[in-house]
């Protein structure tokens, strides 16, 4: 039975009634997550091959679609009459072929499985709406994964390998690997394969995956302003190794130091809402600033501002080595605090 | 009246150019250098008029008036409203430069911001200047000879313009624009030899006020809060100024686009219409950035004049103060600080300029850093 939903994480697409065979119908795949879309395409292709091991399969980009290629793709070839045709990036399909696609979709060839992949977004949504109205079109939709969704994806992914990934282990994995579904899926696959029948817990994940992906510039700046020098340096290294740009780090430092300096300079005795407006931060940020401000005086902040500006010029070409410039900035900033 | 009359305080250069226009030492490529506001492009324009005119720049014939008005078919003024000139633009200019003149004399191309030529654009021009077409004359303008490629420099004849003296500038303002002597003297002094700036200061109330605000900043930079505020103010003023100058143009371009494609929804959703709109928005952004940088740069120059004056007072050098009317405040500042401190502050202004103009540091950050260094 061909059921692509089984290959998607359950949270992304609720299980629906099993779809009919992809042959003789049009499978519409929509959503921004490339990995999930690819899985549906692969499942469809496998289903076609199962029905006819001699079947041919074609991949084409929406951009290259013309009326002529469309006709060719659907026409029977000399060697086999069964075909699976996947069109990627449907949103790039030129306007001229829209009518042709809808025409074909309303009466698909029984020996052809047409899979149309749309990467989400507004482009080409007119075509999507026309396709959705046809009874011969079956849609598989995925939502963008974000925030907590990554850990949940990892847990579900382990489930498909008949393994159990503990929630805190999933969090650690996401922190180490980052928010890329392909990388996460590969990591879970590896763990499940290496430890069949074992619960995948925090220890296990820690042993094989360490470090941090997706370090944010403002987190490094916060460490430095709190005086957690070694932590700031460590995360700076992770950030640079995972391809975070130097200017991005200095920009985060500039705004963090600016906020703190404005907070220090603001008049005393303001109400929180007014103070937040004066400093230019959302009100919840005030608590952090109040906390950080204890260890800073005007002289220290002046030193920090100077260091950030010159580091910014250095990473943009004034200095030789951006990594050195950034480390020196982190050190200068965190040492400019008044120790109490 | 001749075409040379609008050049202020450049007797030396004018003599050389007049000779060249008569045929002595004429060549196919010229490099005009001089500090901003000394009239580089005006000198080039006057020279172009003299070359096209039957009487070497009488100032009255059709050729002269058309060149000076920017309407002569054989004289093209190339300038950019962006930060750099790209290689594509330069290649287009080179192609146009190869055309025969429409009238009888020269095909003249004046490049107003040769210092903004991108490296590859420089190389594209070099090709044209190395192997010139017989009747083409290139005139490049830049602040310093070092601003253009060494290989271009060696293939051009160099005309260096001096900073006009305050007396020259004041005399020009009184004569040409009918400004009162006192106001002309103030504007000439405050502009430090920048003629366009002097004219703006003499003619526009708002420009004078804005300048007064900037030069009165230094004595007030005592706390961190004041420094941050001052930096934010300068950036805000620069942005407002730049937007006022470019928004009208952008709106007009969008209207033109509407005329071209139609204003209904269907026309708007055409791919080419959208692409054209994006392109315009991109151009607008680049122009805006350049204007902001120019405005910030101007304010830094004003600020520099204050510390220059403080240093004059501190060292007892006895030369004129640029900001004579602020003498009491400046003397007070001079008394509170040391000459070494003043030099460090001058350095800090130079460093901020370099950070902003050379290394693309956000103006707000560079100015904050500078202001805290000026504190004290």
């Amino acid at each position: 039975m061909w059921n692509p939903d089984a290959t998607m994480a359950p949270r992304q697409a609720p299980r629906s009634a099993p779809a009919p065979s992809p042959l003789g119908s049009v499978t519409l795949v929509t959503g921004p997550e490339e990995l999930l879309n690819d899985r549906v395409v692969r499942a469809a292709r496998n289903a076609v091959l199962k029905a006819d091991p001699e079947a041919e399969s074609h991949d084409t980009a929406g951009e290259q679609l013309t009326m002529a290629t469309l006709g060719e793709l659907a026409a029977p070839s000399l060697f086999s009459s069964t075909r699976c045709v996947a069109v990627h990036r449907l949103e790039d399909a030129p306007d001229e072929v829209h009518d042709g696609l809808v025409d074909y979709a309303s009466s698909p060839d029984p020996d052809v499985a047409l899979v149309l992949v749309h990467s989400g977004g507004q482009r080409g949504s007119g075509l999507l709406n026309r396709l959705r109205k046809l009874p011969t079109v079956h849609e598989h939709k995925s939502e963008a994964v974000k925030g907590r969704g990554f850990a949940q994806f990892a847990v579900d992914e382990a489930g498909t390998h008949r393994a159990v990934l503990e929630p805190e282990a999933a969090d650690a994995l996401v922190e180490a690997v980052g928010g890329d579904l392909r990388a996460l899926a590969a990591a879970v696959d590896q763990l499940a394969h290496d430890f069949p029948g074992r619960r995948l817990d925090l220890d296990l994940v820690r042993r094989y995956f360490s470090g941090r992906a997706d370090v944010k510039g403002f987190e490094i700046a916060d460490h430095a302003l709190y005086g957690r020098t070694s932590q700031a340096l460590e995360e700076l290294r992770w950030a640079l190794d995972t391809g975070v740009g130097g200017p991005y780090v200095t920009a985060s430092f500039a705004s963090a130091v600016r906020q703190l300096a404005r907070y220090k300079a603001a008049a005393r005795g303001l109400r929180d809402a007014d103070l937040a407006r004066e400093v230019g931060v959302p009100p919840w940020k005030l608590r952090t600033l109040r906390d950080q401000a204890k260890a800073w005086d005007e002289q220290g902040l002046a030193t920090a501002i100077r260091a950030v500006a010159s580091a910014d010029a250095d990473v943009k070409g004034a200095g030789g080595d951006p990594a050195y410039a950034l480390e020196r900035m982190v050190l200068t900033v965190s040492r400019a605090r008044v120790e109490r | 009246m001749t075409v040379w009359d609008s050049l202020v305080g450049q007797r030396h250069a004018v003599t050389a150019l007049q000779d060249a226009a008569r045929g002595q030492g004429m060549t196919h490529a010229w490099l005009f250098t001089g500090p901003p506001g000394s009239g580089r492009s005006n000198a080039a324009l006057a020279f172009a008029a003299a070359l096209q005119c039957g009487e070497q720049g009488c100032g009255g014939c059709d050729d002269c008036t058309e060149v000076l008005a920017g309407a002569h078919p054989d004289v093209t003024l190339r300038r950019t409203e962006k930060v750099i000139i790209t290689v594509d633009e330069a290649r287009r200019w080179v192609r146009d430069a190869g055309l025969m003149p429409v009238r009888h004399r020269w095909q003249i191309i004046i490049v107003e911001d040769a210092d903004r030529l991108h490296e590859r654009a420089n190389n594209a021009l070099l090709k044209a200047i190395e192997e010139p077409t017989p009747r083409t004359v290139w005139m490049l303008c830049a602040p310093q000879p070092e601003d253009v490629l060494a290989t271009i420099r060696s293939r051009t004849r160099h005309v260096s313009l001096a900073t006009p003296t305050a007396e020259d500038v004041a005399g020009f303002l009184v004569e040409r624009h009918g400004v009162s002597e006192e106001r002309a003297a103030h504007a000439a002094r405050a502009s430090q030899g920048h003629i366009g700036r002097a004219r703006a200061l003499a003619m526009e109330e708002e420009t004078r006020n804005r300048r007064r605000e900037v030069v009165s900043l230094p004595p007030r930079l005592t706390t961190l809060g004041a420094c941050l505020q001052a930096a934010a103010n300068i950036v805000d003023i620069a942005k407002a100024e730049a937007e006022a100058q470019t928004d009208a143009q952008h709106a007009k371009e969008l209207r033109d686009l509407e005329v071209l494609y139609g204003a209904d929804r269907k026309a708007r959703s055409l791919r080419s219409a959208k692409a054209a709109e994006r392109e315009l928005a991109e151009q607008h952004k680049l122009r805006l950035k350049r204007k902001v940088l120019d405005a910030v740069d101007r304010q830094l120059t004003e600020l520099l004049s204050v510390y220059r004056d403080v240093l004059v007072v501190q060292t007892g050098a006895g030369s004129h103060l640029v900001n004579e009317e602020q003498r009491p405040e400046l003397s007070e500042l001079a008394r509170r600080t040391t000459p070494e401190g003043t030099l460090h502050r001058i350095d800090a202004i130079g460093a901020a300029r370099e950070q902003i103009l050379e290394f693309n540091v956000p103006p707000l950050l560079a100015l904050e850093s500078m202001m805290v260094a000026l504190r004290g």
Side-chain angles (χ1 to χ4, degrees), chain B residues 53-68:
Chain B
C53 169
E55 295 165 47
Q56 288 89 43
C58 63
C61 66
D62 285 354
D63 280 319
C64 283
T65 33
E66 281 174 17
V67 172
L68 295 182

Side-chain angles (χ1 to χ4, degrees), chain A residues 91-95 123 250 254 258 261-262 264-265 297-299 301-302 305-306 308-310 312-313 316-318, chain B residues 222-226 228-229 232 271 348 351 354-355 358-362 364-366 368-373 375:
Chain A
E91 62 274 21
D92 290 339
D95 293 348
R123 276 187 75 193
T250 51
R258 179 177 305 134
R262 284 209 180 139
K264 265 303 221 202
D297 62 2
E298 288 208 347
Q299 193 50 51
L301 283 166
I305 292 173
R306 304 264 316 143
V308 174
S310 87
D312 192 50
K316 288 172 181 170
Chain B
T222 48
T223 63
L224 186 63
L228 294 184
Q229 195 60 51
R271 205 169 280 191
E354 193 187 23
Q355 286 175 349
E358 299 270 315
F359 298 112
N360 209 9
V361 173
L364 182 59
L365 176 59
E368 282 171 344
S369 162
M370 178 194 80
M371 291 291 178
V372 301
R375 194 170 56 122

